[in-house]
Amino acid sequence: MRNTTVRFITAAALALTTMAAQAQSVAFTFDDGPHVSDTPRMNAQQRNQALLDALAKHRVQAALFVTAGNGAHTEAGLALARAWGKAGHAIGNHTMTHPDLHKVPLEAYQRELLECDRIIRGLPGYQKWFRFTFLREGNTPEKLDGMRGFLKQQGYRNAYVSLDTSDWRLNDKLVETLTKNPAADVSAIKEAYLSHIRQRALAYRDLSRKLQGRDIAQVILLHHNLINAMWLDDVIAMFKQMGWTITTPQAAFADPIYALAPDRPVAGQSLLLSMSRVLGLGRFEGWERLVDDGDYEIAALAAKGF
């Protein structure tokens, strides 16, 4: 076991003994934006504005993790990202073209970060925060340690996710449905989506209590996509109805849990699942619903004819 694992467990114990329980909070972060392609019901500008309007309505400060090749490398796309910074949101780095670190050389992946950085560094709200694509930090010790050293060298922090969602899967179903019939009644997809977010939120809250003995400041992963352009207002309202406090990514990342570096990160999953592996929790009750990529909701929608 590496020394980092010992530090990991020690830090977890310290957090447990020194931090009092607090009201549950969540910070909103969005990956892969801004896309410049059109979707059913909304073009790129309309989607971007709908997301910003929902955040402004609830006075939420969020973070956009830019995948520059999706549009920010163009004047029109960069303007969409700039609008986030001007609205008071943080701008983070999500690579240039969204490659999978498990499938490309380490040096190529590092170049992706630097190329994206060159595009976003002049934007208001720019932060040296890096979100790993697919939440995969490396499938070899060389890649895992290489990226951790590289981030430190470049002055970047790992912008961990604790509350992972499969919003992208339900977004695919929404776009598919509306492409076939732009006037389709998609209320069932909305209901499934909100139920999915609620289930994940409560499950990860329970997991944080198992692992840390407290409610951590959760960082939720959503995407800059149609489903959130349509229903982010409802998502935020649901969290408020659940009694959760909305915090900023900056404040959430100050939670000691985000300074940890698990030796055995679970590829493509929440920081909390990586912690559970390191601490030997195993396949706990409800584990399968956290790693199913929305299969449960998709199956339920299929039963309704979607």
Side-chain angles (χ1 to χ4, degrees):
M1 184 178 291
R2 298 181 188 175
N3 290 336
T4 49
T5 300
V6 175
R7 290 197 300 270
F8 176 88
I9 296 173
T10 302
L14 180 63
L16 175 61
T17 57
T18 62
M19 295 191 66
Q22 59 188 24
Q24 180 62 69
S25 62
V26 60
F28 281 80
T29 68
F30 299 83
D31 284 7
D32 296 0
H35 287 275
V36 292
S37 56
D38 293 341
T39 55
R41 296 197 179 179
M42 294 186 186
N43 60 31
Q45 175 62 42
Q46 290 168 331
R47 283 196 314 277
N48 200 60
Q49 193 59 51
L51 289 164
L52 292 173
D53 287 347
L55 293 169
K57 176 181 176 179
H58 292 279
R59 298 181 180 180
V60 173
Q61 287 182 278
L64 175 67
F65 287 88
V66 175
T67 300
N70 286 343
H73 63 303
T74 69
E75 184 176 344
L78 192 61
L80 298 180
R82 184 177 292 109
W84 282 70
K86 286 184 175 180
H89 305 296
I91 301 294
N93 189 322
H94 199 44
T95 75
M96 190 71 189
T97 64
H98 208 280
D100 185 345
L101 178 55
H102 290 192
K103 298 178 181 179
V104 300
L106 174 61
E107 295 76 12
Y109 196 80
Q110 292 172 344
R111 284 196 299 271
E112 287 267 345
L113 182 153
L114 294 176
E115 288 173 10
C116 181
D117 185 88
R118 281 192 285 271
I119 290 173
I120 66 173
R121 68 175 57 161
L123 294 176
Y126 166 73
Q127 301 286 337
K128 284 202 165 186
W129 297 347
F130 182 70
R131 171 77 44 84
F132 279 91
T133 50
F134 305 102
L135 301 184
R136 294 174 184 159
E137 299 181 39
N139 55 344
T140 66
E142 291 75 19
K143 287 183 177 180
L144 181 62
D145 294 340
M147 277 306 298
R148 286 178 176 174
F150 182 74
L151 291 177
K152 183 177 181 179
Q153 179 189 56
Q154 295 296 323
Y156 264 87
R157 74 166 303 140
N158 186 338
Y160 283 119
V161 171
S162 62
L163 205 174
D164 187 25
T165 77
S166 298
D167 68 327
W168 58 271
R169 183 83 181 279
L170 288 157
N171 181 72
D172 287 349
K173 177 57 66 176
L174 175 65
V175 171
E176 173 192 328
T177 301
L178 291 176
T179 299
K180 293 177 181 176
N181 177 11
D185 179 0
V186 291
S187 56
I189 300 178
K190 177 181 179 180
E191 181 180 351
Y193 182 47
L194 293 176
S195 177
H196 170 75
I197 298 296
R198 181 183 178 88
Q199 178 268 322
R200 288 285 179 92
L202 295 177
Y204 279 120
R205 181 179 188 175
D206 288 346
L207 185 53
S208 75
R209 290 173 172 176
K210 285 186 178 77
L211 297 172
Q212 292 276 288
R214 65 183 178 91
D215 292 335
I216 69 167
Q218 298 279 355
V219 175
I220 190 172
L221 167 58
L222 300 173
H223 288 84
H224 188 284
N225 56 18
L226 179 63
I227 202 166
N228 289 308
M230 291 178 63
W231 298 321
L232 179 60
D233 180 14
D234 300 278
V235 170
I236 298 173
M238 180 179 68
F239 274 107
K240 289 183 174 180
Q241 290 163 6
M242 291 164 58
W244 289 40
T245 299
I246 312 299
T247 190
T248 67
Q250 187 95 33
F253 285 141
D255 189 303
I257 196 170
Y258 297 107
L260 305 180
D263 281 343
R264 300 174 63 197
V266 180
Q269 303 295 341
S270 157
L271 171 64
L272 289 169
L273 287 180
S274 296
M275 286 179 58
S276 71
R277 173 179 284 187
V278 171
L279 298 176
L281 190 58
R283 295 191 176 187
F284 50 87
E285 183 179 357
W287 168 87
E288 65 280 356
R289 285 293 306 278
L290 296 181
V291 298
D292 73 345
D293 280 339
D295 289 346
Y296 179 90
E297 289 82 10
I298 293 298
L301 287 169
K304 295 180 180 181
F306 287 90

